[in-house]
Amino acid sequence: MNDFGGEPSEGTTSSLLAQKSNLERRFQQLLDQVTPFAPYRWATTITLLILFMVRVIYGEGWYIIAYALGIYMLNLFLAFLTPKFDPSIELDAQASEMEEGPSLPVKNDEEFKPFIRRLPEFKFWYSVTKAVVISIICSLFPFFDIPVYWPILLMYFIILFGLTMRRQISHMVKYRYIPFDLGKKSYNNRRRV
């Protein structure tokens, strides 16, 4: 019998799986090493984004890719700003419980609730970086350069960004949560008695 058939042998398959597993492990190790260096990670991502924008502006094309990247990044940013447990849903649940009749209290109104993001910072950075790299790769191929009148896309994105952020900020004001640590009280300087 000949081994010239179309199917690879078991040794080749297991070798490929071992190499794939080794590459995945190395990549995860690299991600674990860069996790604590948030400013450097974001600086790298912003540099890649600027390179992509320079490519779009000077190449005078790939506006659809830039628009799709902007919409995707806006979606990620909204998930980053939104709390994991939406206070509007919790208030609706409390209102429906009040309609059912009196019940015993299950939590104190003054209970501390930390802000937990729907999308953590690292996953936000990782998703944005992947999207920018994919956009750069797509801009290397001319068949992704679909002719479109870019000012319409830009105006639509600006309007969409404005409306979405207005809605998000009004939600933040209504339910009194701040997704950033800027300006929050710090109790590190307590005096010892």
Side-chain angles (χ1 to χ4, degrees), residues 80-109:
F80 178 72
L81 290 179
T82 307
K84 187 172 186 176
F85 305 107
D86 194 3
S88 61
I89 295 173
E90 290 177 9
L91 289 177
D92 290 341
Q94 287 176 356
S96 67
E97 287 174 5
M98 294 297 279
E99 291 174 359
E100 293 172 359
S103 62
L104 293 173
V106 291
K107 62 182 179 181
N108 188 1
D109 289 338

Side-chain angles (χ1 to χ4, degrees), residues 174-192:
K174 181 177 180 181
Y175 295 106
R176 294 177 297 208
Y177 65 90
I178 300 172
F180 302 109
D181 292 337
L182 306 174
K184 287 189 175 181
K185 291 181 181 179
S186 175
Y187 298 102
N188 293 340
N189 297 330
R190 286 183 155 173
R191 292 184 350 185
R192 294 184 181 178

Side-chain angles (χ1 to χ4, degrees), residues 3 10 18 57 85-86 98 103 113 133 140 146 151 162-163 170 178:
D3 280 341
E10 276 188 35
I57 290 169
F85 305 107
D86 194 3
M98 294 297 279
S103 62
K113 291 184 181 180
V133 168
L140 297 175
I146 300 170
L163 292 174
S170 68
I178 300 172

Side-chain angles (χ1 to χ4, degrees), residues 123-183:
K123 289 183 180 180
F124 177 47
W125 166 79
Y126 184 63
S127 298
V128 168
T129 305
K130 279 193 316 188
V132 171
V133 168
I134 289 170
S135 297
I136 290 172
I137 291 170
C138 287
S139 72
L140 297 175
F141 299 102
F143 59 86
F144 285 118
D145 187 12
I146 300 170
V148 66
Y149 188 61
W150 66 268
I152 292 175
L153 288 179
L154 182 63
M155 288 306 298
Y156 183 67
F157 179 77
I158 290 171
I159 291 169
L160 185 66
F161 180 80
L163 292 174
T164 306
M165 291 310 296
R166 187 180 78 189
R167 183 181 57 86
Q168 184 66 31
I169 290 171
S170 68
H171 189 269
M172 289 165 44
V173 169
K174 181 177 180 181
Y175 295 106
R176 294 177 297 208
Y177 65 90
I178 300 172
F180 302 109
D181 292 337
L182 306 174

